[in-house]
Amino acid sequence: MPPFTHHRRIAFYETDAGGIVHFSNYLRFAEEAELQALLSLGLAAYPSPYMLPRVHVEADYHLPLHFNDEIAVEAIFDRIGNSSLHWRFDIRRGGDHCAQVRIVTVRTGKQEENGGFSVVPYTEEEREKFRTLLA
């Protein structure tokens, strides 16, 4: 199965005075694609008993994006852990690879009385659905 792809157009408010997308918006593009990918797999429900905090985020920027560019954000799993998802988001404009964002999330329950969070493993059924997006 090909990676899940989320299509969108760059809005004016996502750019700076020079019309170039601010670096922080690439994380928003990745999160939009993440949510749409989870919804496509039937794995996103709101309100949810779980949280997906980010425990690692990194990005490589190759080409700038500009106001009104049409982009495609491919959501791919590099690895599925016991309770973690290792995402890779390839951001493209036409045939150009503009950026890559990598995010690791860990599924947790709601905050406990001591301020911590309990880790919640994925079921085998959920893991099987995620495998359809493995790189």
Side-chain angles (χ1 to χ4, degrees):
M1 175 181 222
F4 178 85
T5 304
H6 174 62
H7 298 273
R8 72 182 315 278
R9 186 178 293 277
I10 302 298
F12 181 73
Y13 72 86
E14 296 168 320
T15 65
D16 60 18
I20 298 173
V21 171
H22 189 267
F23 77 92
S24 64
N25 285 312
Y26 290 77
L27 300 177
R28 289 180 183 194
F29 304 156
E31 282 197 337
E32 287 175 8
E34 173 192 20
L35 175 60
Q36 294 306 312
L38 291 172
L39 287 169
S40 77
L41 296 173
L43 294 171
Y46 292 96
S48 172
Y50 309 113
M51 298 187 324
L52 296 172
R54 280 78 179 108
V55 296
H56 181 83
V57 176
E58 63 182 87
D60 294 310
Y61 303 95
H62 306 290
L63 293 170
L65 294 172
H66 302 87
F67 166 63
N68 213 32
D69 281 349
E70 289 187 39
I71 63 170
V73 183
E74 294 178 346
I76 304 160
F77 289 118
D78 283 331
R79 189 163 70 86
I80 303 165
N82 187 43
S83 60
S84 63
L85 299 175
H86 299 248
W87 292 90
R88 183 176 78 236
F89 300 94
D90 290 328
I91 301 172
R92 301 179 186 282
R93 177 188 55 231
D96 295 329
H97 186 228
C98 299
Q100 185 177 84
V101 176
R102 286 169 297 285
I103 298 175
V104 179
T105 63
V106 174
R107 183 160 79 168
T108 67
K110 299 296 184 191
Q111 191 167 15
E112 298 173 355
E113 288 182 26
N114 67 3
F117 295 90
S118 60
V119 173
V120 180
Y122 288 104
T123 66
E124 188 53 40
E125 179 183 346
E126 291 168 325
R127 295 167 62 73
E128 193 58 39
K129 288 182 180 182
F130 288 131
R131 285 186 189 104
T132 64
L133 296 180
L134 270 173

